[in-house]
């Protein structure tokens, strides 16, 4: 059975109620994952308030990322819950990031995921769809962490 057929079969037997809803976001050294960019941090947050963070070690000279095998195994196990709904903003990018550091079926995970990017585009297609700008506008989360980082880099 091909990957997409297995994924579709899994999608057709999705539970109507999920035991957990978990949001996941990946940070990377760049957006061009097909070249040399690599994810260096994975953050997740569950609907019950539980949070997880995994980080690789970034070499500042060549921007390569080394991941601890224990962390990647923990992420792989984290992604195996078929009764969880995984929520992403730009799922295609984040799942591609995860597939660069972990061993799992990205098609199957995509079928068990919800991507907020599509709904944000339907809500207002002329608006910037970045997670940072959406968090400022709709959730009232300040961007002072980004301003502080920019100030520190300039100094």
């Amino acid at each position: 059975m091909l990957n997409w057929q297995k994924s579709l079969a899994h999608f057709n037997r999705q539970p109507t109620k999920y035991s957990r809803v978990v949001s996941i976001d990946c940070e990377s050294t760049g957006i061009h994952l097909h070249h040399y960019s690599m994810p260096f941090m994975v953050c997740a947050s569950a609907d019950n308030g539980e949070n997880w963070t995994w980080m690789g070690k970034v070499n500042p000279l060549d921007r390569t990322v080394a991941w601890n095998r224990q962390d990647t195994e923990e992420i792989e196990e984290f992604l195996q819950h078929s009764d969880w709904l995984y929520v992403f903003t730009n799922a295609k990018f984040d799942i591609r990031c995860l597939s660069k550091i972990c061993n799992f079926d990205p098609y199957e995970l995509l079928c068990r995921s919800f991507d907020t990017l599509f709904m944000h585009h339907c809500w207002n297609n002329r608006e910037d769809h970045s997670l940072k700008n959406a968090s400022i506008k709709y959730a009232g989360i300040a961007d002072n962490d980004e301003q502080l980082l920019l100030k520190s880099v300039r100094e």
Side-chain angles (χ1 to χ4, degrees):
M1 182 179 282
L2 298 173
N3 275 344
W4 67 269
Q5 291 171 323
K6 187 169 82 175
S7 301
L8 187 58
H10 179 82
F11 183 75
N12 288 334
R13 65 174 188 273
Q14 281 287 333
T16 55
K17 182 165 175 54
Y18 297 96
S19 66
R20 270 189 147 166
V21 178
V22 179
S23 63
I24 301 176
D25 188 35
C26 298
E27 299 299 329
S28 66
T29 58
I31 59 170
H32 301 291
L33 297 172
H34 54 280
H35 289 299
Y36 299 105
S37 296
M38 280 289 292
F40 64 85
M41 184 166 53
V42 177
C43 297
S45 181
D47 54 357
N48 66 355
E50 195 173 356
N51 296 299
W52 300 266
T53 301
W54 300 276
M55 292 178 60
K57 292 188 185 256
V58 180
N59 181 337
L61 298 176
D62 61 3
R63 296 173 59 159
T64 57
V65 181
W67 280 90
N68 179 330
R69 184 66 195 147
Q70 182 181 354
D71 286 345
T72 59
E73 287 173 354
E74 194 174 315
I75 296 169
E76 288 171 6
E77 184 180 328
F78 184 81
L79 298 173
Q80 296 303 317
H81 299 279
S82 61
D83 60 336
W84 289 12
L85 176 64
Y86 297 94
V87 178
F88 296 92
T89 296
N90 195 357
K92 184 178 173 184
F93 179 80
D94 286 329
I95 290 174
R96 187 176 291 152
C97 281
L98 291 168
S99 71
K100 289 192 71 112
I101 58 174
C102 297
N103 186 19
F104 67 96
D105 183 359
Y107 299 108
E108 193 267 339
L109 180 60
L110 189 60
C111 285
R112 295 186 288 121
S113 300
F114 178 80
D115 193 347
T116 64
L117 187 64
F118 296 122
M119 187 53 70
H120 191 200
H121 185 75
C122 291
W123 182 261
N124 187 345
N125 67 341
R126 294 180 182 205
E127 191 171 73
D128 179 15
H129 301 299
S130 70
L131 188 57
K132 179 62 85 175
N133 289 340
S135 67
I136 293 167
K137 183 172 182 178
Y138 297 108
I141 298 172
D143 66 343
N144 55 0
D145 63 329
E146 201 167 286
Q147 293 169 355
L148 181 61
L149 176 63
L150 183 60
K151 180 182 174 193
S152 298
V153 169
R154 286 184 177 160
E155 287 176 357

